[in-house]
Amino acid sequence: FMSGTIQAVSNECLPFSSKESIEQSILKDYFNGINGLDVGILKFDSFNIIFKPVFYVHYSIYSVFRTSVGLIHTVDKTEHFLIDGKTGKLVLEHDMGKLLKGIRMIKNIKKNSQISIKKEDFLLNETELKQRAIKGIIRRNTRHISYTGRNNQSYTKECIPKARDITLIDVKSIYMPLWNVSINAIKKKYGISFIETQTVNITQKD
Protein backbone atom coordinates (compact mmCIF):
# COMPACT_ATOMS: atom_id res chain seq x y z
CA PHE A 1 0.00 0.00 0.00
CA MET A 2 1.62 3.24 -1.16
CA SER A 3 0.38 6.85 -1.20
CA GLY A 4 -3.28 5.86 -0.93
CA THR A 5 -3.06 3.29 -3.72
CA ILE A 6 -3.01 -0.50 -3.68
CA GLN A 7 -0.06 -2.03 -5.49
CA ALA A 8 -0.87 -4.89 -7.85
CA VAL A 9 0.89 -7.93 -6.43
CA SER A 10 0.14 -11.56 -7.25
CA ASN A 11 1.59 -15.04 -7.51
CA GLU A 12 -1.52 -16.47 -9.18
CA CYS A 13 -1.80 -17.31 -12.85
CA LEU A 14 -4.05 -18.84 -15.45
CA PRO A 15 -3.42 -22.60 -15.75
CA PHE A 16 -0.38 -23.89 -17.61
CA SER A 17 0.74 -27.39 -18.54
CA SER A 18 3.75 -29.53 -17.79
CA LYS A 19 6.81 -29.54 -20.06
CA GLU A 20 5.86 -33.00 -21.35
CA SER A 21 2.33 -31.91 -22.27
CA ILE A 22 3.66 -28.86 -24.08
CA GLU A 23 6.08 -31.03 -26.08
CA GLN A 24 3.20 -33.23 -27.28
CA SER A 25 1.03 -30.21 -28.03
CA ILE A 26 3.74 -28.52 -30.11
CA LEU A 27 4.43 -31.67 -32.17
CA LYS A 28 0.72 -32.07 -32.86
CA ASP A 29 -0.13 -28.42 -33.56
CA TYR A 30 2.95 -27.26 -35.44
CA PHE A 31 4.72 -30.24 -37.06
CA ASN A 32 2.38 -33.19 -37.62
CA GLY A 33 0.92 -31.65 -40.77
CA ILE A 34 4.27 -31.25 -42.55
CA ASN A 35 4.61 -33.88 -45.28
CA GLY A 36 7.78 -35.95 -45.14
CA LEU A 37 8.89 -34.61 -41.76
CA ASP A 38 10.19 -37.18 -39.30
CA VAL A 39 9.33 -35.69 -35.91
CA GLY A 40 12.04 -37.89 -34.44
CA ILE A 41 14.67 -35.41 -35.67
CA LEU A 42 13.16 -32.63 -33.57
CA LYS A 43 15.01 -31.92 -30.34
CA PHE A 44 13.54 -29.58 -27.77
CA ASP A 45 16.26 -27.19 -26.72
CA SER A 46 14.70 -24.87 -24.14
CA PHE A 47 11.42 -23.98 -22.49
CA ASN A 48 10.60 -20.74 -20.78
CA ILE A 49 7.45 -19.04 -19.58
CA ILE A 50 7.06 -15.31 -19.30
CA PHE A 51 4.17 -14.58 -16.97
CA LYS A 52 2.40 -11.50 -18.33
CA PRO A 53 0.55 -9.34 -15.79
CA VAL A 54 -3.20 -8.97 -16.34
CA PHE A 55 -6.13 -7.65 -14.32
CA TYR A 56 -9.32 -9.73 -14.23
CA VAL A 57 -12.59 -7.78 -14.04
CA HIS A 58 -16.03 -9.31 -13.49
CA TYR A 59 -18.80 -6.70 -13.44
CA SER A 60 -22.50 -6.06 -13.75
CA ILE A 61 -24.14 -2.96 -15.18
CA TYR A 62 -27.68 -1.65 -15.04
CA SER A 63 -28.31 1.65 -16.76
CA VAL A 64 -31.52 3.16 -18.16
CA PHE A 65 -31.95 6.11 -20.50
CA ARG A 66 -35.10 8.18 -20.84
CA THR A 67 -36.24 11.19 -22.82
CA SER A 68 -39.53 13.08 -22.94
CA VAL A 69 -41.03 10.12 -24.84
CA GLY A 70 -40.04 7.66 -22.12
CA LEU A 71 -37.56 4.80 -21.96
CA ILE A 72 -35.36 4.50 -25.07
CA HIS A 73 -32.51 2.21 -23.97
CA THR A 74 -31.50 -0.16 -21.18
CA VAL A 75 -28.19 -1.84 -20.41
CA ASP A 76 -28.56 -4.81 -18.06
CA LYS A 77 -25.83 -7.46 -18.19
CA THR A 78 -22.89 -9.15 -16.52
CA GLU A 79 -19.53 -9.65 -18.24
CA HIS A 80 -15.89 -10.31 -17.52
CA PHE A 81 -12.67 -9.36 -19.29
CA LEU A 82 -8.91 -8.94 -18.87
CA ILE A 83 -6.82 -5.80 -19.13
CA ASP A 84 -3.06 -5.50 -19.49
CA GLY A 85 -1.31 -4.90 -16.17
CA LYS A 86 1.20 -2.63 -17.91
CA THR A 87 -0.90 -0.57 -20.31
CA GLY A 88 -4.47 -0.87 -19.04
CA LYS A 89 -5.65 -1.93 -22.51
CA LEU A 90 -7.84 -4.94 -23.27
CA VAL A 91 -5.90 -8.20 -23.57
CA LEU A 92 -6.25 -10.15 -26.84
CA GLU A 93 -9.75 -8.82 -27.38
CA HIS A 94 -10.61 -11.28 -30.18
CA ASP A 95 -9.22 -14.30 -28.29
CA MET A 96 -10.19 -13.28 -24.76
CA GLY A 97 -12.89 -15.93 -24.51
CA LYS A 98 -10.21 -18.63 -24.78
CA LEU A 99 -8.24 -17.10 -21.90
CA LEU A 100 -11.30 -16.65 -19.70
CA LYS A 101 -12.10 -20.37 -19.84
CA GLY A 102 -9.23 -20.87 -17.39
CA ILE A 103 -10.30 -18.24 -14.88
CA ARG A 104 -11.78 -20.81 -12.48
CA MET A 105 -8.61 -22.91 -12.58
CA ILE A 106 -6.13 -20.34 -11.33
CA LYS A 107 -2.97 -21.79 -9.79
CA ASN A 108 0.10 -20.50 -7.99
CA ILE A 109 3.34 -19.92 -9.86
CA LYS A 110 6.03 -22.32 -8.65
CA LYS A 111 9.65 -22.79 -9.63
CA ASN A 112 10.31 -25.63 -12.05
CA SER A 113 13.73 -27.11 -12.78
CA GLN A 114 12.69 -28.00 -16.35
CA ILE A 115 11.26 -24.61 -17.29
CA SER A 116 12.79 -21.15 -17.07
CA ILE A 117 10.27 -18.82 -15.43
CA LYS A 118 10.10 -15.02 -15.47
CA LYS A 119 7.42 -12.77 -14.00
CA GLU A 120 6.92 -9.32 -15.46
CA ASP A 121 5.93 -6.51 -13.12
CA PHE A 122 2.61 -4.72 -13.02
CA LEU A 123 3.23 -1.12 -14.07
CA LEU A 124 -0.24 0.01 -12.98
CA ASN A 125 -1.44 -0.33 -9.40
CA GLU A 126 -4.85 -1.79 -8.55
CA THR A 127 -6.37 1.65 -8.06
CA GLU A 128 -5.31 2.68 -11.57
CA LEU A 129 -6.41 -0.66 -13.01
CA LYS A 130 -9.88 -0.30 -11.50
CA GLN A 131 -10.15 3.22 -12.89
CA ARG A 132 -9.13 1.97 -16.35
CA ALA A 133 -11.65 -0.87 -16.04
CA ILE A 134 -14.53 1.49 -15.20
CA LYS A 135 -13.66 3.76 -18.13
CA GLY A 136 -13.44 0.72 -20.39
CA ILE A 137 -16.82 -0.61 -19.24
CA ILE A 138 -18.44 2.77 -19.89
CA ARG A 139 -16.87 2.94 -23.35
CA ARG A 140 -17.88 -0.66 -24.20
CA ASN A 141 -21.50 0.02 -23.26
CA THR A 142 -21.98 3.48 -24.78
CA ARG A 143 -24.46 3.47 -27.64
CA HIS A 144 -26.04 5.98 -30.03
CA ILE A 145 -29.79 5.33 -29.91
CA SER A 146 -32.28 6.65 -32.47
CA TYR A 147 -35.85 7.39 -31.42
CA THR A 148 -38.90 9.33 -32.57
CA GLY A 149 -40.04 12.36 -30.55
CA ARG A 150 -43.60 13.37 -29.80
CA ASN A 151 -43.43 15.71 -32.81
CA ASN A 152 -42.64 12.72 -35.07
CA GLN A 153 -39.10 14.00 -35.62
CA SER A 154 -36.18 11.55 -35.46
CA TYR A 155 -33.48 12.09 -32.87
CA THR A 156 -30.26 10.38 -31.81
CA LYS A 157 -29.07 10.31 -28.23
CA GLU A 158 -25.67 9.19 -27.02
CA CYS A 159 -26.39 6.88 -24.09
CA ILE A 160 -23.36 6.89 -21.78
CA PRO A 161 -23.60 4.78 -18.60
CA LYS A 162 -22.48 6.38 -15.35
CA ALA A 163 -19.86 4.92 -13.04
CA ARG A 164 -22.54 4.48 -10.36
CA ASP A 165 -24.40 2.10 -12.72
CA ILE A 166 -21.49 -0.36 -12.55
CA THR A 167 -20.81 -2.96 -9.85
CA LEU A 168 -17.41 -4.62 -9.77
CA ILE A 169 -18.23 -8.17 -8.66
CA ASP A 170 -14.68 -9.51 -8.69
CA VAL A 171 -11.33 -7.96 -9.57
CA LYS A 172 -7.92 -9.58 -9.19
CA SER A 173 -4.34 -9.27 -10.35
CA ILE A 174 -3.13 -12.46 -12.05
CA TYR A 175 -0.71 -13.61 -14.76
CA MET A 176 -1.13 -15.35 -18.11
CA PRO A 177 1.52 -17.80 -19.39
CA LEU A 178 3.45 -16.89 -22.53
CA TRP A 179 5.54 -19.87 -23.63
CA ASN A 180 8.76 -19.53 -25.64
CA VAL A 181 10.07 -22.86 -26.89
CA SER A 182 13.25 -23.47 -28.89
CA ILE A 183 13.55 -26.57 -31.09
CA ASN A 184 16.49 -27.94 -33.08
CA ALA A 185 15.95 -29.91 -36.28
CA ILE A 186 19.31 -31.01 -37.74
CA LYS A 187 20.83 -27.64 -38.75
CA LYS A 188 17.70 -25.55 -38.30
CA LYS A 189 16.42 -23.89 -35.17
CA TYR A 190 12.77 -23.06 -34.60
CA GLY A 191 11.33 -20.65 -32.05
CA ILE A 192 7.68 -20.99 -31.10
CA SER A 193 5.87 -18.48 -28.92
CA PHE A 194 2.28 -18.87 -27.73
CA ILE A 195 -0.09 -18.04 -24.91
CA GLU A 196 -1.52 -21.22 -23.43
CA THR A 197 -5.30 -21.46 -22.99
CA GLN A 198 -7.72 -24.24 -22.12
CA THR A 199 -8.85 -24.56 -25.75
CA VAL A 200 -6.48 -23.55 -28.56
CA ASN A 201 -3.10 -21.95 -27.84
CA ILE A 202 -2.73 -18.44 -29.22
CA THR A 203 0.41 -18.20 -31.36
CA GLN A 204 2.36 -14.99 -30.94
CA LYS A 205 4.16 -13.50 -33.93
CA ASP A 206 7.22 -11.25 -33.83
Side-chain angles (χ1 to χ4, degrees), residues 188-200:
K188 289 188 177 181
K189 193 168 187 175
Y190 298 92
I192 297 173
S193 180
F194 60 89
I195 293 172
E196 184 178 358
T197 79
Q198 294 303 292
T199 54
V200 178

Side-chain angles (χ1 to χ4, degrees), residues 9-154:
V9 178
S10 177
N11 194 50
E12 294 183 323
C13 67
L14 293 170
F16 61 96
S17 302
S18 67
K19 171 178 170 287
E20 291 74 21
S21 293
I22 290 298
E23 286 183 358
Q24 294 303 314
S25 176
I26 287 174
L27 292 176
K28 175 177 175 291
D29 295 342
Y30 294 94
F31 294 100
N32 273 357
I34 301 177
N35 290 331
L37 175 67
D38 177 9
V39 295
I41 69 172
L42 301 176
K43 305 298 180 185
F44 288 90
D45 185 31
S46 65
F47 293 81
N48 71 71
I49 305 176
I50 299 174
F51 288 102
K52 311 289 284 187
V54 295
F55 193 61
Y56 171 71
V57 180
H58 183 199
Y59 76 94
S60 65
I61 180 171
Y62 180 73
S63 190
V64 296
F65 300 89
R66 300 177 183 276
T67 68
S68 59
V69 299
L71 179 68
I72 62 165
H73 182 56
T74 301
V75 182
D76 184 8
K77 63 182 179 181
T78 300
E79 286 186 331
H80 56 173
F81 60 93
L82 297 166
I83 58 178
D84 192 302
K86 291 183 170 183
T87 66
K89 296 179 181 178
L90 282 175
V91 173
L92 299 170
E93 186 169 4
H94 299 297
D95 288 304
M96 195 182 299
K98 299 173 186 174
L99 283 169
L100 290 171
K101 288 184 181 297
I103 202 66
R104 298 189 184 279
M105 295 175 277
I106 286 175
K107 60 196 293 185
N108 284 318
I109 299 172
K110 296 179 180 179
K111 290 184 178 180
N112 188 311
S113 60
Q114 296 180 312
I115 304 169
S116 173
I117 289 175
K118 176 186 176 183
K119 279 171 59 178
E120 293 187 348
D121 294 331
F122 283 84
L123 298 184
L124 297 172
N125 59 54
E126 286 204 4
T127 304
E128 292 169 324
L129 288 165
K130 285 180 182 179
Q131 291 170 348
R132 299 284 183 100
I134 293 292
K135 288 180 181 178
I137 293 167
I138 291 172
R139 188 168 55 250
R140 286 160 66 91
N141 291 283
T142 294
R143 299 288 185 274
H144 288 84
I145 302 299
S146 298
Y147 67 97
T148 302
R150 295 183 186 279
N151 58 1
N152 287 324
Q153 294 292 316
S154 295

